[in-house]
Every structure is written in structure tokens, then in C-alpha cells.
Amino acid sequence: MAECHPVGYQWVMEARARGAKVFHIDPRFSRTSATVDRYLAIRAGTDIVLLGALINYVLSNGLDFREYVLAYTNAATLVNRDFRDTEDLDGLFSGFDEETGRYDPSTWAYEGDVPGEEEPVEGGERHAEAAGSDSYGARGAGASATPPSDPTLTDPRCVYQILKRHYSRYTPEMVEELCGIPPELFLELAEAVTANSGRERTTAWVYSVGWTQHSVGVQYIRAAAILQLLLGNMGRPGGGIMALRGHASIQGSTDIPTLFNLLPGYIAMPHAHRHDSLDHYLEQEGADTGWWGNRRAYVVSLLKAWWGDAATEANDYCFDYLPRLTGDHGHYATVMGQIDGTVKGYFVVGENPAVGSANGKAQRLGLANLDWLVVRDLMLVETATFWKDAPEIETGELRTEEIGTEVFFLPAASHVEKEGTFTNTQRLLQWREKALDPPGDCRSDLWFYYHLGKRIRQRLGDDDIDRPARELTWDYPEIGAQRDPDAAAVLREINGTAADGRLLASLRELKPDGSTSCGCWIYCGVYADGVNMAARRTPHTEQGPVALEWGWAWPANRRILYNRASADPQGRPWSERKKYVYWDGAKWTGPDVPDFEEDKAPDYRPPEGAKAEHALAGTDPFIMQSDGRGWLYVPSGLSDGPLPTHYEPHESPVRNALYGQQANPARRTVDRPENPYNPALSPRFPYVYTTSRLTEHHTTGAMSRPLPYLAELQPEAFCEVSREMAEELGLENGAWATIVTARTAIELRVLVTGRVRPLRLNGRTVHQVVMPYHWGYSSGGVITGDIVNDLLPIVLDPNVYIQESKAGTCDVLPGRRPRGSALLDLIERYRDG
Amino acid sequence: MGAGWLSRWPVIRQLKGEDGRGQAARSARTDALRPRVEGADTVARSVCPYCAVGCGQLVYVKDGRVTQIEGDPGSPISRGRLCPKGSASKQLVTHPGRQTTVLYRRPHGTEWEPLDLETAMDMIADRVVRTRRETWQQTHEGQEVRRTLGIAGLGGATLDNEENYLMKKLYTALGAIQVENQARI
Ligand code: SF4
């Protein structure tokens, strides 16, 4: 965090100055490790073992926050009697189909939840193919609101007992054997975390892509969620699980997604085989209880924002205009489509897949097989120049004259040359004022897409294929000599309006009958009463620490999500010290906006058959869940199991000591010649690598390598290794090393330090190599270097299709890599060996 | 040079025992220096474009050029601080290597060629319309899909919400579904 989110880290340092104990768990020793109470070096790819052992420590010592757990989680809920755990099936859950490599999740359901016939529950095969679990960015999957339960927590089929059995072998000894963390350090962590949780205290977890970029990435976060729910650390001040996101508005690009499977506000894109009408779609997409029960209002309002008067009740509000998914249309599937020639035209906007994505060669082979490519960026990034300087030109795999791709490079406006909002890692929208016009041909992406849309619409015919584009609402005021579309007008469309054009103040005003329009339901209220709330800038010195008048957070400017849980079931603060949102006898109040209906009393009990929020009791804080509870166990929605389970990375030098099942059985592989894998446990690839970032650079370096200030601070691509590994292999500090995988080999400068330590795993030593990935062959860079991501395989988490960047295997050789076709020969030898 | 310049010479003053880090370090030149932000024509309230912490920035402009970017002391997130990247962001906007004109590489070409922005926009629009028609799928395995798999897009995590919104809206209306960004990968 000190390394990649430095200014955010000042708050950790402040907490520490006030007595907080800070642990850092990471395969690499960074600026964070240097400033904490205790650093724990861990083998990359084993965090579920550590988190599972913490869960086991809590459960076997009875340290859970029982009142919180009973009232606010699904610990007491009973699970289907046909459910089988990984303890029963040596690393598999019930429902696995060896042939397809997919799970049928029906047996994971709550007791009494009768699965449908064709597509059992959310998480079924087609749902999984289209990365359906992504839609849980703002809600939980569907399940019963009032499943049978055992409040004594003793029924062997209740979630609490299932958890206990599932994690019973996640012991300190297992942590030592798989993670390389000695038992005394594990116990120090376990004691600190549990002692610092409960009524009086809360513990927070902070993670980043070191937890997500794995073939079991979603389950890493789930494991942290289980621990935090058991300890009562969710929805309370000082608690939570904080995702530190890496780009200025990467949260925004998930909320208003440029993602294949989502529409704005985590509404799933319709699937051809699952959704033929709006009614049918709404039926299948989640539960009718909890706030998601209002989804018709969210979806219809979005369709009204896009198709205006053309969207009527009679035509299903143009629901048919939405194109349909039939499976995985994600980034890596798209790249394979480019190589196969089905994808002809490609827009790359402020991104640099030739350097940033796994298996760079596959990325560039895809680019080289397009008809046309449009790249918009501040600099000439590698994705724009690959046709003349890609590594494949040097090896002879590609020849400039033979590449038929027509390339347009359009320079972009910088952040000060346009106005608009970023959404930061805390879901906070901040409006940026425009300081000046962009130079030359530089334009904002708002300008580009608006004017491109206008030009395309001028070229449309009058047939049915063109109807959705023809009838699209596309009128925005144009400003200034460059005719920039008015970003505030776009934000107002996102906020939404009533039939009379009045700007909506809250998502509670959204209607299912077509009388409201709203471009993104979770952002409704950002322009409440005509005020751009994201532009608010009351200084922190003039308001309290929650700072509600600086920018605007979704939803409804709530800063801590699910904050009803900061009070006990009766609505009283759990303690004076941790007082936050509470019931004052007539309403919920406190320094934050309550994440709950303000006047729903703690003793409210839903009447029979109640829907949406009315189906949740006054004691149900997790209002986006169908049962209002935090889910220790996930009965539906995930494609690789209801509970986090340790699987080794796809490429690992270590056998899974917990189960016969080595890697995540549901992981997605791309078995093609462009994407060869290192075999698991291969002696040819004995070292573990992980990739990382540095303070002075940003992702693929396109925004940092061209800047002399930053280039000078961190000039060369390097790999960091331990003294022991350097000695074993004859690597010299400052000299070169060649890193080899089945994909390719790259050369990096060697940094030998005592910060990377060899890990002792049950008597065996495993060496780790740490590689920052900011370098590439151009990007107008003052500095260049080999591309670390070229080493990575394409192997994906089965829930959201994120690639496994953070743990893999490699070989390391002293000296520089071979040039030209000799490089290919080297890789060939490794593949054959 | 006026009388007494010698006694104001910092070296003399420091030798006479004044603290070399304070007043005694000042010269006539330092006295004449003004902060770059003082003479700015306008100040825009902005946000750092790198990571997702979202530090507040103040962007100072004079004579149509960015003269300084500083941390916004009012921000409850950053309280005026910026890390090395945020502090270098003026260079991101002003450095001479920044590409400010459209470039075009024709199929099989070996060099970039200049291209007028308006022409480029027309050419791109033509290609979208043509490729979409050529690759249109009305149905797939007997189901209505109304889409094209011929056009894809990548990017958005460095863009504004308003930009992502227009992108998703336009792509969806055109039937282009392979729309992705850094948030997945
Ligand atoms: S100044 Fe640094 S910490 Fe702050 S947003 Fe920018 S990159 Fe992130």
C-alpha cells in the first residue's frame, strides 16, 4: 500500500501512531513492510491457507462475535442434505462434472430452496460462462429470504458446522508447510486479529491485485469476508475489507462498465439462451427480496435513458435492442478471436494490452491480424507501434510489411484538459474542472465517442439492424470551438430524471413503469436537485471526519456500506467506542448516511409475502442480499464452490498438501499453441515468480516512463532475488538474468537483497522472484525494457475471468537472453524438456 | 550595485554566525523569486490521474499553459499531499514527447503518416459501419442475438465515468459486445 497507494497509506501510518498494530503479508518486502509492526513473507498463491487457518483459529477457540454472527450472518442456516464438502471428496465439492470441468451447483443451495429445472440456480453453466458472478458487484445472488435455520449452531448441516469441518485441517502446521510462515508468527497474527475484534474494537483488511489475480481470485476475497463476518468487522467503523484499486477510475469503469457481461449498475447483460423477454430476464436475475427486488425499476429506467420515447411498455422498453451474450466474450476470448480472424476492428482507449495483458505474444499476434485498429492515448504506446517494434519482429515471427493491420493513432486529452468524474477506490465520485483546452488534435474520449456516434448515425440505413442505433438518445449540448459534448449533461443523464425532466434525488424514486429514466441506478442522486454533488469541495477542516460534503459516494452518499451493522440488533451502538449509525427511537442516525431505510425500526418484521426491502427485517443489515444476511457460505452464484478452498496455482512447484485436487478444478485454461503452460511440479521451472508495481511508475509505464522525473527515479526493469538464490545460480547484483517460462524468455537487471527470503516449506526450500512489470519497448519512453507480462500464461479465475498474474513458475539463468531466432530455440528446448 | 551589498552577501552573514538555513541563506535573487502559483490566471480543482486513491489537485494555468500542479490542501483524502507520480503530473501534461497529432499506418506500411483529424474520424466511422454489416449476427444457434463479434473495444479504467457511459451506450446500440477494460484484467 505504501508502494502503490502512497497517499492513502498516510492513514495507516496515523492509525499506527495512535497505537494500531499493522501487519504486512506479502511475497515481496516493500516500502509497506519497512513501516509496519510485523512483516510476514508468504509463498505467492497460498493466502487461502493463511486465511482459512485464521478462520479455523476463530472457530476452534470459540472467538467469533456470537451475537453479531447469529443476528447478521447465515451461520445458522441449514444447507441441502446432498451437499458434499471438499473434506468428503478430496478437494471437490458435490456437483463437479469431470468431463466439462464445470460444477452443477444445485446441491449447494439452502435447505428447502428448490432448484429450477433447466438452469438450476444462479451459478449454473450458462451463468458461469458469461462471468455472471460479476453482477454481484452491487448485490448478492438469489436465495430464500427465510431459509430454515438452527440458532443453536449445532446442527451438522448448518453453515457454522460446515465451516468448522471445512477448515479443520487449516492449521498453523499447514500454514508453515504451504505458506512458509512459521507457527509462532502465525499465532502472533491470529492473536492480534482476534484480540482486536469484538464490541470495542475492529480490524480492517486491505488487499489489492495480489489477492485477485489468481485462478482462485474471487475465493481469496470470500475467505477474508468469512473471517471479517465471524469477527463482526463488517459495516462498522475501522472494519471492512478494502480493495485498493490501481487506476484513477477503475472503480467507475466497473460501476459504469466497459465490461462485456455488465450494463451500468451491475445489471447483467442478457444471455441469448436464458433471457428472451424482459419479464423472463428479470425473473432469472436474482431474488425478489432485498433491495435488488426493485430491479425492474433499475432496468426499465436504464432502457428509458438510452432509448427515450422509443422505449414503451408495449415494446418491452426496447429490451430486445440489447445484444445477447452466448458465453465468454471477455478480453482473452477477444484476443483469441483476433488470432482466429473473427474480430476485425479494435478500439484500444487508454490501455496497453501489448504490455499489460498476460502472454504478450498472443496479444500482439492478435493485433497483427486485425483489419483496423484505433488507439487513443497520450503517448505512442506499444499497442500502437507493435507493427514496427514488437519483440516478434526481432525474432522473425512477424514482418512489418506482412502485417495488414491499418492503424489509427488519435492523441487523447489529459485529465486537466477535460471535465468529468473519476470514481476512486472508496466509491467516491470527484468532479474535475477543466483547466484548459487540449493541444493540437488531442481530444477527450467523450469528444471521440460522441462525434463518432454522430458520424455513424449519419451513415445508418432504415432497416431493423440499425434501429437501436438510430433510435438511441444521442443529443448532448456542444461546448466551445472544439464542440466538446457537455460532460455535465451526460452526468445528469446518468443521475436520472422524472417524467417532467426534474433531476431525481435518490434511487428510491426510480419507477418500474417507464416514468423515470436513469443511466446508472447506483449513481442516482449524484446530481440531486440539480446540484453536481461530485463537485462539492468543503475542506476537511470545515467538516467532520466522515467528510460527507466532499464529492459524493454511491449509493446515496453512504461512506461505510452496510453500516446498520455498526449497531446491535436492538439498534444500540455495540459500544461507545465504536458508535456510528444507531436507532434513536424514531430513526437511524449518526455521522454517516444510514445504509438502511431511515425509519425502519429494529423490531420491524416483514409480513408474509413481502417483497424487496419490505421483506427484510429491521435487524437485517446486508440489504442487497436476498436474506439481508452476510454470507459465510454462498449457496448460489459462484462457479467454483460455496467456500474458499486452497488450490495451488495452475503453475506451481509444490504439491497441494491439503487435497488430492492440485489446482482449482473449475479454472479456465486456454489450450492453444499460442498459450503453452509450464507443467505443474516441473523441475524445468523450479522457481516461483510474482509480479508487482513500484511507486514511481504506473502499470505499463505509458504515463510514467516518458516523464523524465519518474524515469530517472526508477530507470531499469529488474528482478529481485534473495542472496541465497543469487549464490545458488551465480546471479550478480546489477548484472543480467534471463527469466524463462513456456511462453518466452526476457532479460532483467538483477537486484540481490535480503528483502526476498527463501521460504522453508516443510524442510524444502522454495525461492521466489519478484518482478515489477512497468517496462516495454517504446511508449515514447525515456526508458525501455523487456515485458514481464510476456512470461505469463493465460489461465483464468472461473467466476470473473481475471488472469493468474501473481503466482507462476519460471527458470532463471544468469546473463542476457538470446537474440533473434535463438530466443525461440531456447524456449523450444524448455518445452521439449 | 548599492552600498552594503557585501554585508547582505549570504556567505558573510553565515560566517558572522547567523543560521545558514534561515534568513541568512537569502539573497537578492531569492527575495525576488515568487511562487509559480502566485501569478496564475486560473486555478482548476482536479484529481490525480494515476491510482485510485483520488488525491485532490490544484491545476495552475497562465497564458494558456499549465504552470504548476499541486496537492489540494482541502481534500479529506490527501490533505494536500501527492506522491511522486501525482507530483510529476504536470510533466505528464506538458512534456515534449507527448503525441499531439493524429498518425496513420496504412496496411503493410513501414512508417507513420500524418492524417487530418476530421478525415480520420470519417474513415473510422466508415470502417465501423462496414465491419458491423459484414459481421452482423441476427441469430446464433437459433436464438436472436442482434450483435457483431467483428468489433471489440478495450479500455476505460483511466477514463471518466461520463466517457465510459457514452462508450458502453454506443457499443451496445451497435451490437458490439466484446467491450472490456482493465477492471477485469
Ligand atoms: S498522488 Fe499518488 S497516491 Fe495520490 S492519487 Fe496520485 S498516484 Fe495515487
Side-chain angles (χ1 to χ4, degrees):
Chain A
M1 185 174 182
E3 196 80 47
C4 302
H5 300 83
V7 180
Y9 193 63
Q10 67 176 305
W11 301 105
V12 179
M13 290 292 86
E14 266 204 22
R16 188 159 177 255
R18 290 204 235 156
K21 187 161 183 177
V22 185
F23 287 83
H24 184 226
I25 304 160
D26 202 307
R28 76 154 169 167
F29 186 104
S30 69
R31 285 160 161 121
T32 312
S33 329
T35 50
V36 297
D37 294 281
R38 180 67 75 191
Y39 165 66
L40 275 60
I42 187 170
R43 175 166 66 94
T46 63
D47 301 53
I48 290 179
V49 180
L50 179 68
L51 290 163
L54 289 169
I55 294 167
N56 187 20
Y57 181 86
V58 170
L59 293 174
S60 46
N61 294 300
L63 295 169
D64 56 282
F65 188 173
R66 188 56 58 92
E67 201 177 340
Y68 182 105
V69 166
L70 270 178
Y72 298 159
T73 77
N74 65 356
T77 306
L78 299 186
V79 169
N80 190 311
R81 58 186 70 241
D82 294 331
F83 170 70
R84 293 291 171 275
D85 186 61
T86 47
E87 284 300 285
D88 309 320
L89 303 176
D90 200 18
L92 294 174
F93 292 100
S94 45
F96 189 68
D97 181 336
E98 289 286 349
E99 220 152 88
T100 59
R102 308 279 187 269
Y103 275 108
D104 168 357
S106 8
T107 55
W108 310 344
Y110 286 161
E111 170 83 23
D113 271 10
V114 189
E117 299 207 333
E118 204 184 307
E119 185 75 347
V121 274
E122 284 181 275
E125 187 164 338
R126 280 175 175 144
H127 179 266
E129 285 290 342
S133 356
D134 254 4
S135 58
Y136 308 135
R139 64 158 177 120
S144 165
T146 48
S149 65
D150 169 28
T152 68
L153 303 185
T154 52
D155 190 308
R157 283 192 294 116
C158 80
V159 164
Y160 189 87
Q161 293 296 332
I162 290 172
L163 268 182
K164 253 186 142 166
R165 291 195 299 275
H166 182 80
Y167 291 110
S168 59
R169 292 187 299 120
Y170 289 63
T171 57
E173 295 69 40
M174 198 55 85
V175 170
E176 178 168 44
E177 175 166 355
L178 286 173
C179 311
I181 296 173
E184 60 279 10
L185 284 185
F186 169 77
L187 287 173
E188 184 186 341
L189 172 71
E191 278 161 21
V193 167
T194 49
N196 196 57
S197 302
R199 279 181 186 272
E200 299 286 339
R201 314 189 71 90
T202 49
T203 295
W205 286 81
V206 175
Y207 74 92
S208 197
V209 293
W211 264 7
T212 55
Q213 290 178 344
H214 293 280
S215 54
V216 58
V218 166
Q219 299 284 9
Y220 271 61
I221 320 306
R222 280 269 309 123
I226 293 171
L227 180 67
Q228 289 294 67
L229 284 169
L230 286 173
L231 293 173
N233 284 327
M234 297 306 288
R236 300 179 61 205
I241 304 168
M242 262 73 73
L244 291 177
R245 311 207 60 183
H247 298 65
S249 198
I250 193 160
Q251 182 62 46
S253 66
T254 327
D255 303 334
I256 296 182
T258 37
L259 293 170
F260 85 89
N261 50 344
L262 293 178
L263 290 164
Y266 301 92
I267 294 170
M269 281 283 283
H271 190 287
H273 293 273
R274 300 179 63 222
H275 309 125
D276 48 13
S277 66
L278 179 59
D279 285 341
H280 189 208
Y281 165 83
L282 291 169
E283 248 166 58
Q284 298 239 327
E285 280 302 307
D288 292 336
T289 56
W291 274 93
W292 187 242
N294 297 310
R295 62 190 170 282
R296 178 180 285 271
Y298 312 150
V299 175
V300 170
S301 295
L302 171 66
L303 295 169
K304 285 298 286 183
W306 285 8
W307 284 291
D309 293 340
T312 64
E313 195 184 346
N315 68 6
D316 245 4
Y317 302 102
C318 299
F319 181 68
D320 271 355
Y321 287 12
L322 296 171
R324 298 303 202 256
L325 309 181
T326 45
D328 172 13
H329 310 286
H331 173 64
Y332 292 101
T334 300
V335 170
M336 295 307 142
Q338 293 169 354
I339 294 175
D340 293 339
T342 51
V343 178
K344 314 260 181 214
Y346 196 31
F347 290 95
V348 179
V349 187
E351 201 158 334
N352 192 11
V355 179
S357 292
N359 191 345
K361 182 182 288 184
Q363 308 290 324
R364 294 182 294 267
L365 293 179
L367 296 173
N369 199 34
L370 292 164
D371 288 355
W372 52 268
L373 167 69
V374 178
V375 179
R376 294 184 43 79
D377 214 303
L378 298 166
M379 332 286 166
L380 275 173
V381 290
E382 284 81 356
T383 301
T385 63
F386 75 95
W387 47 272
K388 58 171 171 182
D389 51 13
E392 291 71 34
I393 306 275
E394 190 200 291
T395 58
E397 292 162 279
L398 288 174
R399 293 162 60 92
T400 300
E401 301 78 14
E402 288 169 9
I403 297 173
T405 310
E406 184 182 32
V407 186
F408 297 87
F409 178 85
L410 275 70
S414 76
H415 72 298
V416 305
E417 295 153 356
K418 59 185 183 185
E419 56 182 9
T421 52
F422 284 153
T423 303
N424 87 345
T425 196
Q426 299 160 287
R427 312 180 321 280
L428 186 80
L429 281 80
Q430 299 185 91
W431 177 264
R432 297 184 331 275
E433 295 169 354
K434 177 173 167 176
L436 74 176
D437 277 334
D441 293 339
C442 300
R443 295 292 183 274
S444 70
D445 298 296
L446 199 70
W447 183 96
F448 175 76
Y449 280 94
Y450 167 69
H451 285 285
L452 179 67
K454 270 179 71 170
R455 282 172 160 84
I456 291 171
R457 279 152 55 93
Q458 285 160 4
R459 289 162 169 76
L460 295 177
D462 52 10
D463 67 2
D464 220 40
I465 293 177
D466 288 348
R467 186 189 294 262
R470 211 166 50 234
E471 292 180 353
L472 193 68
T473 58
W474 203 254
D475 294 315
Y476 302 99
E478 297 176 12
I479 301 175
Q482 295 183 345
R483 295 172 34 233
D484 265 314
D486 182 3
V490 179
L491 187 58
R492 286 193 290 270
E493 178 177 320
I494 292 170
N495 176 83
T497 50
D500 59 5
R502 179 182 58 86
L503 285 156
L504 300 173
S506 139
L507 66 93
R508 296 178 78 164
E509 294 183 71
L510 295 172
K511 297 276 181 331
D513 60 3
S515 62
T516 56
S517 85
C518 174
C520 181
W521 67 278
I522 56 177
Y523 281 16
C524 188
V526 65
Y527 231 109
D529 306 318
V531 177
N532 184 342
M533 308 289 264
R536 295 179 310 163
R537 290 291 187 277
T538 305
H540 65 93
T541 45
E542 292 168 27
Q543 54 175 332
V546 182
L548 289 176
E549 287 167 37
W550 183 278
W552 183 88
W554 73 264
N557 206 26
R558 297 164 191 172
R559 303 300 170 107
I560 293 185
L561 281 180
Y562 302 122
N563 57 34
R564 158 62 186 99
S566 67
D568 71 8
Q570 290 75 40
R572 301 166 305 204
W574 287 108
S575 65
E576 217 22 56
R577 197 168 174 274
K578 286 288 167 183
K579 187 172 178 176
Y580 198 62
V581 166
Y582 54 93
W583 178 254
D584 71 0
K587 62 178 188 320
W588 293 95
T589 186
D592 200 347
V593 180
D595 194 9
F596 210 61
E597 297 118 278
E598 243 171 54
D599 54 356
K600 185 190 259 184
D603 61 5
Y604 170 82
R605 293 294 172 270
E608 193 69 33
K611 293 268 183 268
E613 68 273 25
H614 309 296
L616 301 183
T619 48
D620 290 334
F622 295 95
I623 59 170
M624 295 311 299
Q625 302 285 102
S626 51
D627 55 1
R629 303 296 180 96
W631 282 3
L632 297 165
Y633 171 99
V634 172
S636 73
L638 296 177
S639 37
D640 55 356
L643 289 171
T645 304
H646 170 68
Y647 298 113
E648 285 293 323
H650 180 76
E651 297 184 348
S652 169
V654 173
R655 196 173 290 287
N656 190 350
L658 277 159
Y659 314 98
Q661 180 64 38
Q662 170 78 2
N664 185 351
R667 72 193 182 282
R668 297 298 166 100
T669 55
V670 175
D671 301 296
R672 297 175 48 125
E674 300 87 2
N675 189 48
Y677 292 115
N678 302 347
L681 308 167
S682 163
R684 296 292 274 157
F685 303 101
Y687 305 109
V688 172
Y689 69 73
T690 191
T691 64
S692 64
R693 286 197 192 185
L694 301 163
T695 304
E696 296 79 5
H697 284 296
H698 191 243
T699 67
T700 70
M703 286 167 72
S704 57
R705 278 187 284 125
L707 278 52
Y709 288 152
L710 296 174
E712 197 175 320
L713 287 171
Q714 204 65 265
E716 269 198 285
F718 64 89
C719 58
E720 187 168 344
V721 297
S722 67
R723 296 196 183 101
E724 294 80 354
M725 182 175 174
E727 192 152 307
E728 206 173 295
L729 291 176
L731 301 171
E732 263 176 64
N733 189 49
W736 294 93
T738 295
I739 322 290
V740 191
T741 69
R743 273 70 59 189
T744 192
I746 64 165
E747 62 185 20
L748 301 168
R749 292 282 187 181
V750 179
L751 179 65
V752 182
T753 69
R755 306 190 302 181
V756 182
R757 300 169 201 167
L759 296 175
R760 297 290 300 164
L761 310 177
N762 215 8
R764 167 181 175 199
T765 300
V766 170
H767 291 294
Q768 305 201 87
V769 187
V770 179
M771 298 178 287
Y773 71 93
H774 303 293
W775 284 266
Y777 44 82
S778 63
S779 271
V782 189
I783 50 172
T784 55
D786 275 1
I787 300 172
V788 167
N789 289 329
D790 282 9
L791 296 170
L792 305 186
I794 302 174
V795 55
L796 311 172
D797 170 280
N799 288 296
V800 297
Y801 297 154
I802 196 168
Q803 76 284 336
E804 188 154 72
S805 315
K806 292 302 168 197
T809 56
C810 62
D811 194 17
V812 180
L813 309 167
R816 307 194 71 157
R817 65 167 162 81
R819 292 339 220 214
S821 61
L823 176 65
L824 302 178
D825 298 339
L826 175 77
I827 303 307
E828 213 45 57
R829 285 200 300 278
Y830 268 88
R831 286 186 201 161
D832 294 343
Chain B
M1 203 153 290
W5 69 271
L6 195 65
S7 63
R8 289 209 311 273
W9 192 20
V11 173
I12 303 285
R13 280 154 55 193
Q14 287 166 34
L15 284 175
K16 278 172 31 194
E18 286 182 48
D19 183 355
R21 291 165 301 181
Q23 280 302 315
R26 300 187 71 86
S27 67
R29 197 180 109 72
T30 33
D31 283 340
L33 285 178
R34 306 303 320 159
R36 247 178 297 180
V37 298
E38 201 171 77
D41 300 330
T42 55
V43 186
R45 312 194 91 153
S46 193
V47 178
C48 176
Y50 289 97
C51 89
V53 170
C55 296
Q57 292 191 331
L58 296 175
V59 182
Y60 294 87
V61 176
K62 188 167 172 57
D63 301 328
R65 286 188 58 81
V66 174
T67 51
Q68 181 71 329
I69 297 181
E70 295 200 340
D72 183 347
S75 167
I77 298 165
S78 53
R79 299 184 294 188
R81 294 159 168 96
L82 294 172
C83 81
K85 289 190 289 293
S87 311
S89 59
K90 179 194 156 211
Q91 214 170 46
L92 176 74
V93 180
T94 59
H95 81 92
R98 184 172 166 193
Q99 183 64 37
T100 58
T101 57
V102 175
L103 293 175
Y104 175 69
R105 185 257 177 180
R106 66 183 65 240
H108 310 288
T110 55
E111 288 306 327
W112 287 114
E113 300 169 37
L115 188 65
D116 172 70
L117 176 61
E118 292 293 313
T119 311
M121 293 296 290
D122 280 329
M123 288 171 75
I124 295 167
D126 288 341
R127 278 148 188 74
V128 170
V129 170
R130 193 189 66 221
T131 303
R132 176 172 176 265
R133 280 281 159 177
E134 286 171 1
T135 58
W136 187 254
Q137 279 187 338
Q138 189 69 27
T139 58
H140 176 77
E141 293 173 355
Q143 306 284 331
E144 279 290 304
V145 289
R146 278 193 109 121
R147 69 185 186 191
T148 166
L149 296 179
I151 300 172
L154 180 70
T158 52
L159 312 187
D160 299 348
N161 291 314
E162 295 75 13
E163 297 177 322
N164 280 316
Y165 180 77
L166 283 201
M167 285 164 72
K168 183 73 180 184
K169 184 175 174 182
L170 182 64
Y171 284 136
T172 307
L174 293 172
I177 57 172
Q178 295 156 112
V179 177
E180 286 279 88
N181 87 69
Q182 193 69 51
R184 181 176 319 283
I185 51 180

